[in-house]
Amino acid sequence: DDPWRFVVSLIGIYFLGPAVEARIGSGRFYGLFLGSSIIAGMFGFLLSFAGIARGPAFTVAAATNAIFMVFYLLNPDAPILAFFVLQVPIKWLLYLFMAIEVAYLLITHFSMFFCVAVAGFGVGYLWFALFLTRPKTVQASEWYYGLRNSYYRWKRRRAARKFEVYMRQHNREVIFDEH
């Protein structure tokens, strides 16, 4: 549709891609790039099939936005030079680009390009949550076992206190430590 959109997307990948690739590795980076393009494209196809979005979407904007989102999630407080002049926190720049793309999405009455581009942010977030964070089941099991161990420690301390009282009644001094 518009060659400038494609060029701007490639510039975003050029500047943010190496930093993300260095943190997550080449294989995961390629998975992020291709996976976000494919998933956002499928999302666009579904919107087109449902009659919600119209028009072409020949771009890598979904992959660029996914890389942008993962860069933000890896470095939430990183400063970045906006337009080669202003040093701005990455989250402000991310919020600005998200707001601009959502505004264009609404102004163009759900143009396919902007539907796919905005979906890239969501795919990047989901990719980060699925592949770069600890699974929730591990956290839940650690919470459960930590709670269970706290209960067992409490039971042992209670039994030790009862045993100390029993031994004092029989004129013997026994002291247990926490370990």
Side-chain angles (χ1 to χ4, degrees):
D1 188 289
D2 187 9
W4 285 108
R5 292 178 184 166
F6 185 73
V7 170
V8 169
S9 294
L10 290 180
I11 289 172
I13 293 171
Y14 177 77
F15 285 114
L16 295 177
V20 173
E21 184 179 10
R23 287 283 300 268
I24 65 175
S26 294
R28 285 185 172 177
F29 181 77
Y30 295 136
L32 169 65
F33 182 85
L34 293 174
S36 61
S37 297
I38 292 168
I39 292 172
M42 289 179 2
F43 178 72
F45 172 76
L46 291 175
L47 289 177
S48 175
F49 188 71
I52 297 172
R54 299 188 196 320
F58 302 112
T59 185
V60 291
T64 304
N65 291 344
I67 291 169
F68 193 16
M69 178 62 80
V70 170
F71 181 83
Y72 161 69
L73 293 170
L74 290 172
N75 310 299
D77 296 322
I80 194 167
L81 287 177
F83 312 111
F84 305 106
V85 180
L86 296 170
Q87 189 172 0
V88 179
I90 188 71
K91 64 180 166 187
W92 292 1
L93 209 54
L94 177 77
Y95 296 153
L96 174 71
F97 281 115
M98 287 175 73
I100 289 171
E101 290 196 9
V102 168
Y104 272 114
L105 175 72
L106 297 174
I107 288 171
T108 60
H109 302 287
F110 292 92
S111 167
M112 179 63 76
F113 172 82
F114 290 109
C115 287
V116 171
V118 170
F121 287 117
V123 171
Y125 180 81
L126 288 175
W127 189 90
F128 180 83
L130 291 174
F131 297 113
L132 292 180
T133 58
R134 295 177 59 181
K136 299 295 183 197
T137 56
V138 172
Q139 292 174 351
S141 67
E142 286 180 3
W143 175 81
Y144 167 74
Y145 288 117
L147 187 64
R148 186 186 73 171
N149 291 340
S150 297
Y151 171 70
Y152 286 141
R153 279 192 298 273
W154 172 79
K155 279 182 71 171
R156 283 192 299 272
R157 284 193 308 268
R158 185 170 165 237
R161 281 193 307 268
K162 285 183 175 183
F163 185 70
E164 286 174 0
V165 169
Y166 172 80
M167 292 303 284
R168 259 186 267 132
Q169 289 173 349
H170 290 80
N171 297 325
R172 298 188 69 193
E173 188 68 28
V174 176
I175 298 174
F176 290 99
D177 59 355
E178 281 289 320
H179 307 291

